[in-house]
Amino acid sequence: MTNGNGATPEAAPPPQLNVLAQYIKDLSFENPNAPQSLAPQGQPPQINIQINVGANALAETEYEVTLTIEGKAESGSQVMFSFELVYGGVFRLVNVPQEHLSPMLLIECPRLLFPFAREIVANSVRDGGFPPLMLDPVDFVSLYRQNMERQAAAQGVQGRPS
Amino acid sequence: MIGALARKLFGSSNDRRVKGYQSRVNAINALEPELAKLTDEQLKARTTEFKQQLADGKTLDDLLVPAFATVREASKRTLGQRHFDVQLIGGMVLHEGDIAEMKTGEGKTLVATLAVYLNALAGKGVHVVTVNDYLARRDAGWMSQIYGFLGLTTGVIVHGLDDAERKAAYACDITYGTNNEYGFDYLRDNMKYRLEEMVQRGHFFAIVDEVDSILIDEARTPLIISGPLDDRSDFYNTIDTFVPKLDKTDYEVDEKQRTVTLTEAGMEKIETLLRDAGQLKGESLYDVENVSVVHHINQALRAHTLFTRDKDYIVRDGEVVIIDEFTGRMMPGRRYSEGLHQALEAKEHQPVQPENQTLASITFQNYFRMYEKLAGMTGTAATEADELFDIYKLEVVEIPTNLPVARLDEDDEVYRTQQEKYAAILAEIERANSRLQPVLVGTASIEKSEVLAAYLKQHGYKQIDFGSERALDKLYAAARAGKPAKLFAVLNARFHEQEAYIVAEAGVPGAITIATNMAGRGTDIKLGGSLEMRIQQETAGITDEAEKAAKIEQIKADIARFREIVLKAEETVEIEPAKGSKPAKTVTKPGGLYIIGSERHESRRIDNQLRGRSGRQGDPGRSKFFLSLEDDLMRIFGSDRLDSMLTRLGLKEGEAIIHPWINKALEKAQQKVEARNFDIRKNLLKFDNVQNDQRKVIFDQRVELMQDESVVETITDMRHAFIDDLVSKHVPEHAYAEQWDVAGLKDELKRVLDLDLPVDAWAKEEGIADEELLKRIETHADERMAAKVAQWGPDVMRYVEKTILLQTLDHLWREHLIMLDHLRQVIGLRGYGQRDPLQEYKSEAFTLFEAMIAHLREAVTAQLMRVEIVPPEEQQQTLPPMQAHHADPNTGEDEMAFANVSLVPSSGAAPVPAEARNPKDPTTWGKVGRNEDCPCGSGKKYKHCHGRYA
């Protein structure tokens, strides 16, 4: 762990991040039109991927972070394959200041989970009879920002102006 | 004096009434051992027996004793709760159609079961009315165990159900729901075109929970169903272009009254402008044809001259948002009425939203008075007994508590300024918190609760964030450690479910809860915390039974320990010795929940409600109000001199005055306000009664029309009555034939009935009388109708007649409602002419009503005489798009609008909670996981069912 913004010498003990567990929470792979769809296609299929992250507290310092990856490949109107993966991890965060907690959980932790989830996706798609699907790296920082904005907007709808 | 003495000797009338129930209570108690021996089946069979006895001619009153005994036994077996004797008395009061006043924690929900069961035996449906959806769901789920055990069905009406679900719920023996839902269902039912579509099945018996809040507080604003008017947005924009062309001299602005009127010159100018633009029909702006033009010009003028951007409203995301003039807060979703909002939108060049029109409305007073029998229960009604009797004919009976109340109600402390008051409250909270006594701080409004919360935050307290699931863990941990946690929670009657949880936990040691008066009603504050709530909250994720049981044991031990701590949180206060007396004495003030009132409410009832949250079922408790001379009530009813006088008398800063006289004076002031508010409500009701009588006639008429197989008789009567009117108008009785207005008659016949009759020729016949003429016209009209029946067959014609009649009736009724509204706004002016506005309103409204009926005859007859049926296909009449409104009388916010907002972040792919999904409507499902069970209920995974790829 690096602490980028020059902590003062007598600052609190350094933050710690431990991975306690990693697991598939939910996995669905569908290959509805096989084997016809496995034949070589004229043009490359349209692939749509959606990624989201979520976190909830399990105990004072322990959190479950989930990384959800959904994808669907379509050729014309025909679905080639569709997968949905919820990949979870349990993290222990100690000495993390309150204001860093949510970026830590929603940026740093998914970043650690991503390579594993990526492999599961690639393997599943390959085992489905297609060339393995290699997901591009994900910018979790901008995903985090989007989520924050959406939350703020949602609160704006519900709440009273303060 | 004599009265007080007599009361002492003979007891109050209330005591005597309560005593009168004792013999039946004894009879019920005597049945208990016998019933305890019955098997479950035998107990259940008693319901059928009772129903049989009713059919054999017994009355509900005859069955009261055995039925109550049966419910008590069923409750013992299902819920493990036995009705106390006082609860039986409460049940009897409810059955007699009166209000049972029972203190908090005495188990009102359980009391209701007695009267509900007994009256449900009649099979006409019993409605239980609660203040919010959460309570309706909770109580129904809880109490249906008893009813189900005894073989009765229970339904719940909550927001967001469709008609089929509502109908099923109303068809149950017992229905739970909120006042708003019942009222709106009634209104919606009376806008439907078929009897089968109506969801309610009569109004037999209603038990209203928190009756004071529903029948008095909520009843200040009516229920309104509105629908969009025809789109006039272009017209607003057109008119808006003229207003800037006017000069300051063209109109006069009265800032104080907030009115603006055109001057003579201004009128001429705008007339010219409009005429040039081709917007003016006829000669003058004030001709009848131009009424709506004038209306639009007036509103546009108001929008331009009286309303300032960023002061009265702001423009945000293409919307004009009102700013509340008192609080300075934005009021999204609220709109000015009568086209003013549209005029503002046109002024700001924002998209103009369509106008809304009232389609139907009713006040709670008039809705609840429809019930054959009405009863209610609450903790605080005695102060409002007069009003409840006056309007609803409900008597209030105070039910004694099962255990005596052990709460100490201290005298008020009055400070000079608000600042000093808040400081005193803070100090009191601090003291209570240090000995871990839970505190509930009551405020009069949401704003005040926020002020107080901010004040606490300034002084090192932290607000509990209920966003996270384990929000209260820290509080529990601190309580276990015996240290004050310095955490507080705020509730303001918005998120009922969550607030029920917060309120239930307000009795945990060291808890500080700031709440408005209405927040979390219906939920008990148990000392040490609520077992059910915590089990529900903390064992939610645990599937292992053994682990769950262990956790429950742990929670139980926790709560028992917490309760001990709270009970022991007593305060020992030294009393300053009076001069020359012995050394200081100490007084012990009880522990338990400590209620701190930050302000006296206008009504004593609301204060009593706040106090009543503490000291349930014989638990100790304390309550105290902190006031300042700057509070609204003091400001209005205390004089300015009070402040300077108190200063002169030596009231120093930070010091309070405490004296029973002040409490008395305040109570007097409150009584005055209560009486005034009651008068206002009574007056409103008097006006609404006029509308209500007419509404009843129209709604009854509609139901009758829908029930009738054929409306041909009604239609024929209408046609004849119309022709009768027409002939007598043009051919007056006993008039000579030369005086007859034959040409006018001929024109009218052509215009309305589409009949070209040789009336002029008939009139020239020798010796013809008006009767003869009338008969001939009627015969011709009847023949025309008979021909139509022969042409399309009687079935089609019956259907057409019914449809036209109902639709025309509805249309005219809506217009009539608008007329009445307008009438009501101006009728007050008659007062200047020494006439009683109410009487004037009554007679004018009656004239309008008669005119409407006459108009109805004409319109229906005219339409039917010229109706041409294209293909006789089944037309499904759809209801116009409708919105329901009921403004919260406390905050002015539209409760129903609020209920539409979901708590889930509104992203496109948000998962929808399972209970919000309608199995029949995939559009309500939101995002469904591929591996999830399909929400349609097929039992298959979503990906193998509705989510299957072709």
Side-chain angles (χ1 to χ4, degrees):
Chain A
M1 274 307 308
T2 55
N3 198 340
N5 40 17
T8 47
E10 67 274 19
Q16 270 181 24
L17 173 70
N18 305 91
V19 186
L20 303 186
Q22 271 180 237
Y23 44 88
I24 294 177
K25 244 178 125 78
D26 186 22
L27 172 61
S28 160
F29 182 84
E30 284 161 89
N31 205 348
N33 293 309
Q36 287 79 4
S37 57
L38 299 180
Q41 303 285 324
Q43 75 250 43
Q46 279 236 308
I47 302 183
N48 270 313
I49 311 278
Q50 285 180 316
I51 296 186
N52 210 343
V53 293
N56 61 318
L58 300 174
E60 189 117 347
T61 55
E62 283 160 27
Y63 300 86
E64 185 195 41
V65 175
T66 53
L67 175 63
T68 308
I69 306 180
E70 287 170 47
K72 198 169 164 189
E74 279 166 305
S75 177
S77 62
Q78 201 186 38
V79 177
M80 310 276 291
F81 62 83
S82 153
F83 65 85
E84 194 176 290
L85 167 66
V86 182
Y87 193 74
V90 176
F91 297 85
R92 176 181 291 148
L93 275 77
V94 187
N95 301 329
V96 176
Q98 192 65 35
E99 67 270 24
H100 292 164
L101 196 58
S102 76
M104 194 84 148
L105 285 172
L106 297 176
I107 299 172
E108 216 52 60
C109 297
R111 209 175 261 165
L112 292 171
L113 294 177
F114 182 71
F116 298 88
R118 183 172 183 267
E119 195 197 340
I120 294 163
V121 171
N123 287 345
S124 305
V125 174
R126 188 201 57 209
D127 293 346
F130 302 96
L133 176 68
M134 295 302 184
L135 293 177
D136 288 330
V138 176
D139 181 1
F140 285 103
V141 178
S142 76
L143 186 63
Y144 174 73
R145 280 209 197 101
Q146 276 172 29
N147 270 333
M148 289 295 118
E149 274 162 24
R150 193 186 302 154
Q151 245 174 39
Q155 265 157 13
V157 171
Q158 296 162 17
R160 300 154 282 110
S162 50
Chain B
M1 273 308 269
I2 292 172
L5 189 69
R7 243 196 311 270
K8 229 176 200 165
L9 281 177
F10 307 112
S12 66
S13 66
N14 191 64
D15 295 343
R16 270 173 280 145
R17 182 161 175 185
V18 169
K19 229 180 201 168
Y21 295 114
Q22 199 55 47
S23 61
R24 275 182 285 177
V25 170
N26 293 340
I28 296 167
N29 285 339
L31 277 177
E32 198 171 356
E34 186 189 319
L35 286 180
K37 285 187 209 123
L38 297 181
T39 63
D40 287 1
E41 274 67 40
Q42 282 170 320
L43 202 60
K44 187 171 179 174
R46 284 178 71 91
T47 304
T48 344
E49 279 169 39
F50 290 144
K51 282 188 178 167
Q52 188 52 46
Q53 288 178 1
L54 275 178
D56 294 345
K58 280 206 175 183
T59 63
L60 286 176
D61 294 324
D62 300 334
L63 293 176
L64 189 142
V65 171
F68 276 25
T70 308
V71 177
R72 185 195 255 185
E73 187 59 33
S75 168
K76 261 168 34 186
R77 294 191 193 180
T78 50
L79 305 177
Q81 289 181 331
R82 177 181 174 274
H83 295 76
F84 299 126
D85 287 0
V86 288
Q87 289 180 315
L88 296 177
I89 295 178
M92 288 181 221
V93 171
L94 292 182
H95 171 65
E96 287 174 3
D98 281 322
I99 291 175
E101 187 188 85
M102 308 186 77
K103 297 276 171 279
T104 320
E106 291 286 312
K108 286 193 286 276
T109 319
L110 203 58
V111 170
T113 55
L114 296 164
V116 166
Y117 173 73
L118 177 58
N119 285 279
L121 291 172
K124 293 192 218 162
V126 173
H127 295 173
V128 183
V129 186
T130 62
V131 279
N132 61 48
D133 281 354
Y134 163 72
L135 287 178
R137 226 181 272 130
R138 188 198 70 178
D139 290 354
W142 198 11
M143 293 303 146
S144 62
Q145 296 177 41
I146 298 181
Y147 307 135
F149 181 82
L150 290 171
L152 295 179
T153 50
T154 315
V156 193
I157 304 282
V158 289
H159 189 77
L161 295 184
D162 64 23
D163 274 4
E165 291 166 306
R166 280 173 195 272
K167 198 166 179 169
Y170 279 116
C172 291
D173 293 307
I174 299 146
T175 313
Y176 279 78
T178 65
N179 45 343
N180 287 353
E181 296 298 328
Y182 286 121
F184 283 130
D185 279 343
Y186 172 70
L187 290 177
R188 274 188 222 116
D189 270 0
N190 280 299
M191 296 168 73
K192 290 178 179 156
Y193 293 109
R194 288 148 177 265
L195 220 48
E196 311 87 83
E197 287 173 4
M198 296 175 82
V199 296
Q200 292 190 337
R201 50 161 188 154
H203 300 93
F204 168 60
F205 180 41
I207 294 186
V208 184
D209 194 5
E210 309 291 1
V211 65
D212 53 333
S213 131
I214 291 178
L215 295 191
I216 295 180
D217 299 334
E218 298 276 314
R220 278 185 289 175
T221 47
L223 295 173
I224 296 170
I225 288 193
S226 67
L229 216 55
D230 306 338
D231 188 18
R232 310 279 292 277
S233 48
D234 292 346
F235 198 49
Y236 280 104
N237 287 325
T238 319
I239 294 293
D240 189 68
T241 54
F242 296 115
V243 177
K245 291 177 188 159
L246 296 174
D247 296 327
K248 278 241 159 69
T249 51
D250 292 334
Y251 49 82
E252 280 168 10
V253 179
D254 185 341
E255 293 268 1
K256 198 171 163 200
Q257 304 270 343
R258 299 209 29 109
T259 54
V260 54
T261 36
L262 286 171
T263 59
E264 201 71 29
M267 280 178 207
E268 268 170 34
K269 194 163 179 181
I270 200 108
E271 248 175 29
T272 323
L273 286 170
L274 285 167
R275 196 173 297 120
D276 293 349
Q279 292 292 341
L280 208 58
K281 290 177 211 132
E283 277 301 296
S284 152
L285 178 60
Y286 288 90
D287 276 354
V288 191
E289 300 100 310
N290 295 319
V291 170
S292 96
V293 181
V294 175
H295 174 76
H296 281 82
I297 288 182
N298 284 339
Q299 296 299 15
L301 202 58
R302 287 181 70 194
H304 277 271
T305 55
L306 298 173
F307 289 82
T308 323
R309 185 172 173 162
D310 293 331
K311 178 170 156 269
D312 300 294
Y313 63 90
I314 61 162
V315 178
R316 194 179 66 176
D317 304 335
E319 274 182 75
V320 172
V321 182
I322 302 179
I323 298 179
D324 187 285
E325 57 176 320
F326 298 111
T327 62
R329 285 203 332 211
M330 289 190 292
M331 303 295 216
R334 284 182 77 185
R335 296 173 66 79
Y336 289 115
S337 55
E338 292 170 3
L340 177 60
H341 212 95
Q342 284 76 12
L344 284 171
E345 281 164 341
K347 173 187 164 191
E348 296 296 340
H349 307 292
Q350 301 299 334
V352 176
Q353 311 284 334
E355 267 177 274
N356 270 342
Q357 172 197 0
T358 303
L359 301 179
S361 81
I362 192 168
T363 57
F364 281 127
Q365 284 94 331
N366 282 322
Y367 175 73
F368 281 108
R369 287 194 304 193
M370 284 193 307
Y371 283 90
E372 280 175 47
K373 192 158 86 177
L374 181 65
M377 37 189 195
T378 176
T380 45
T383 52
E384 239 75 19
D386 287 346
E387 173 161 0
L388 289 166
F389 185 74
D390 238 31
I391 293 178
Y392 303 97
K393 298 281 169 281
L394 290 170
E395 273 185 50
V396 177
V397 182
E398 275 181 69
I399 310 294
T401 52
N402 190 38
L403 293 168
V405 176
R407 186 184 65 234
L408 175 70
D409 292 331
E410 294 180 60
D411 285 335
D412 299 355
E413 281 188 17
V414 184
Y415 291 87
R416 255 187 53 212
T417 61
Q418 293 231 358
Q419 204 48 47
E420 289 167 45
K421 178 181 85 175
Y422 284 132
I425 292 175
L426 179 73
E428 193 66 35
I429 292 175
E430 203 130 299
R431 275 201 295 281
N433 199 230
S434 67
R435 55 177 191 269
L436 288 179
Q437 183 166 23
V439 183
L440 180 74
V441 188
T443 62
S445 62
I446 294 174
E447 286 81 43
K448 293 275 161 60
S449 69
E450 278 165 7
V451 169
L452 205 57
Y455 192 74
L456 281 182
K457 268 188 208 156
Q458 272 173 25
H459 290 84
Y461 287 81
K462 276 203 185 124
Q463 183 167 356
I464 300 175
D465 170 25
F466 283 91
S468 70
E469 279 176 23
R470 290 303 178 77
L472 288 170
D473 277 359
K474 273 188 192 151
L475 187 65
Y476 297 143
R480 277 185 215 113
K483 278 187 296 193
K486 290 205 137 194
L487 288 169
F488 71 94
V490 181
L491 22 150
N492 39 29
R494 277 168 176 264
F495 306 106
H496 298 300
E497 214 140 326
Q498 191 197 39
E499 294 193 351
Y501 172 54
I502 306 178
V503 165
E505 292 301 281
V508 171
I512 303 170
T513 315
I514 300 177
T516 54
N517 292 307
M518 296 310 293
R521 277 194 86 171
T523 308
D524 264 5
I525 303 182
K526 291 186 181 154
L527 298 185
S530 155
L531 184 62
E532 296 89 33
M533 284 284 182
R534 278 191 65 182
I535 290 179
Q536 193 190 338
Q537 202 78 15
E538 292 178 29
T539 61
I542 302 175
T543 45
D544 183 34
E545 282 303 318
E547 197 184 333
K548 200 167 185 167
K551 182 87 192 164
I552 291 175
E553 278 312 309
Q554 193 194 332
I555 295 174
K556 272 189 189 160
D558 230 16
I559 288 179
R561 214 170 88 204
F562 284 174
R563 196 180 145 82
E564 275 312 302
I565 299 176
V566 173
L567 288 178
K568 282 209 193 102
E570 294 166 340
E571 187 182 20
T572 316
V573 189
E574 277 187 19
I575 298 183
E576 269 182 55
K579 266 183 200 146
S581 78
K582 277 176 234 156
K585 276 205 293 189
T586 59
V587 174
T588 310
K589 297 191 172 176
L593 181 64
Y594 190 178
I595 305 285
I596 294 181
S598 67
E599 197 170 349
R600 283 268 180 188
H601 197 270
E602 279 183 0
S603 156
R604 287 169 293 165
R605 188 167 46 84
I606 309 284
D607 292 341
N608 291 343
Q609 266 167 25
L610 184 62
R611 284 210 154 118
R613 303 225 120 207
S614 166
R616 59 183 288 285
Q617 292 185 355
D619 280 346
R622 257 175 98 175
S623 75
K624 191 172 195 175
F625 277 81
F626 288 79
L627 315 174
S628 83
L629 294 180
E630 291 176 351
D631 290 351
D632 292 342
L633 195 71
M634 300 290 250
R635 236 185 28 228
I636 299 166
F637 289 93
S639 65
D640 292 341
R641 281 193 320 218
L642 199 62
D643 186 17
S644 56
M645 198 171 76
L646 287 173
T647 327
R648 213 161 335 125
L649 286 178
L651 184 68
K652 294 189 202 89
E653 198 176 313
E655 219 171 63
I657 29 174
I658 307 170
H659 200 282
W661 283 6
I662 293 186
N663 298 9
K664 275 239 176 82
L666 268 172
E667 212 164 295
K668 281 265 161 59
Q670 284 176 313
Q671 268 174 18
K672 264 190 237 163
V673 183
E674 279 164 25
R676 204 182 116 246
N677 284 342
F678 175 31
D679 276 346
I680 295 175
R681 281 194 293 267
K682 212 156 65 176
N683 203 28
L684 268 179
L685 187 63
K686 275 184 198 151
F687 278 92
D688 190 64
N689 280 344
V690 178
Q691 208 191 79
N692 191 49
D693 291 342
Q694 299 186 354
R695 175 173 46 230
K696 265 198 204 145
V697 173
I698 294 288
F699 283 4
D700 287 352
Q701 200 70 46
R702 284 201 66 185
V703 173
E704 247 171 61
L705 291 176
M706 284 192 281
Q707 271 168 347
D708 287 346
E709 194 62 21
S710 140
V711 293
V712 67
E713 262 177 50
T714 322
I715 299 275
T716 313
D717 285 349
M718 284 178 134
R719 188 168 58 239
H720 289 175
F722 171 72
I723 296 174
D724 212 13
D725 282 353
L726 197 65
V727 172
S728 59
K729 189 171 145 203
H730 293 280
V731 184
E733 247 181 297
H734 311 303
Y736 296 108
E738 297 84 71
Q739 292 169 319
W740 293 359
D741 177 14
V742 180
L745 181 61
K746 194 174 156 70
D747 285 353
E748 280 290 281
L749 286 175
K750 177 79 191 137
R751 183 179 71 80
V752 181
L753 299 180
D754 194 26
L755 284 177
D756 204 357
L757 296 175
V759 193
D760 33 1
W762 293 346
K764 285 189 189 112
E765 283 174 30
E766 198 60 40
I768 193 161
D770 46 349
E771 285 100 13
E772 177 64 24
L773 205 58
L774 178 69
K775 211 173 228 167
R776 281 190 200 174
I777 299 174
E778 275 181 6
T779 320
H780 272 94
D782 289 352
E783 273 168 12
R784 167 75 68 93
M785 283 313 292
K788 283 196 195 289
V789 175
Q791 189 180 350
W792 291 302
D795 288 347
V796 177
M797 214 45 206
R798 294 299 89 94
Y799 176 76
V800 171
E801 282 166 357
K802 207 168 180 171
T803 314
I804 287 185
L805 184 55
L806 281 175
Q807 280 181 349
T808 316
L809 180 66
D810 285 353
H811 178 72
L812 291 175
W813 171 242
R814 277 170 211 161
E815 287 195 343
H816 180 66
L817 281 180
I818 300 174
M819 292 286 270
L820 284 183
D821 273 352
H822 288 180
L823 178 64
R824 196 145 128 195
Q825 279 165 16
V826 296
I827 202 78
L829 298 173
R830 299 276 174 99
Y832 290 114
Q834 299 295 313
R835 295 198 190 165
D836 179 2
L838 179 63
Q839 291 307 327
E840 290 288 304
Y841 180 68
K842 272 186 192 163
S843 71
E844 293 282 334
F846 186 68
T847 319
L848 281 174
F849 189 70
E850 283 198 317
M852 181 193 89
I853 298 292
H855 194 168
L856 176 71
R857 280 190 219 127
E858 181 185 324
V860 170
T861 309
Q863 283 188 58
L864 282 173
M865 287 302 279
R866 46 190 88 205
V867 68
E868 295 287 331
I869 302 166
V870 191
E873 66 180 24
E874 185 83 1
Q875 293 166 316
Q876 267 293 335
Q877 287 124 344
T878 45
L879 292 174
M882 291 187 287
Q883 291 172 312
H885 308 280
H886 177 243
D888 184 323
N890 295 309
T891 59
E893 278 168 43
D894 198 330
E895 290 171 358
M896 301 313 278
F898 190 73
N900 284 328
V901 178
S902 75
L903 291 173
V904 184
S906 60
S907 77
V912 173
E915 62 273 13
R917 286 175 177 166
N918 175 0
K920 287 173 213 132
D921 183 8
T923 56
T924 63
W925 295 352
K927 160 104 182 88
V928 185
R930 310 284 308 158
N931 278 331
E932 247 183 273
D933 284 343
C934 190
C936 75
S938 63
K940 291 184 195 161
K941 282 185 177 184
Y942 179 66
K943 64 179 171 188
H944 295 311
C945 188
H946 277 75
R948 193 187 174 91
Y949 297 121

